[in-house]
Coordinates of all heavy atoms in Angstrom, one line a residue:
A89 N -60.9 -15.8 15.5 CA -62.0 -14.9 15.4 C -63.0 -15.3 14.3 O -64.2 -15.2 14.4 CB -61.5 -13.5 15.1
A206 N -78.9 -33.3 -2.8 CA -78.5 -32.1 -2.0 C -78.9 -32.2 -0.6 O -79.9 -32.7 -0.2 CB -79.2 -30.8 -2.6
S210 N -78.0 -27.2 2.3 CA -77.8 -26.6 1.0 C -79.1 -26.1 0.4 O -79.2 -25.0 -0.2 CB -77.1 -27.5 0.1 OG -75.8 -27.9 0.6
A212 N -81.8 -25.3 2.0 CA -82.3 -24.2 2.7 C -81.6 -22.9 2.3 O -82.2 -21.8 2.1 CB -82.1 -24.4 4.2
W215 N -82.9 -21.8 -1.1 CA -84.2 -21.2 -1.0 C -84.1 -19.8 -0.4 O -84.8 -18.9 -0.9 CB -85.1 -22.1 -0.1 CG -86.5 -21.7 -0.1 CD1 -87.5 -22.0 -1.1 CD2 -87.1 -20.8 0.8 NE1 -88.7 -21.4 -0.7 CE2 -88.5 -20.6 0.4 CE3 -86.7 -20.1 2.0 CZ2 -89.4 -19.9 1.2 CZ3 -87.6 -19.4 2.6 CH2 -88.9 -19.2 2.2

Side-chain angles (χ1 to χ4, degrees):
S210 299
W215 188 85

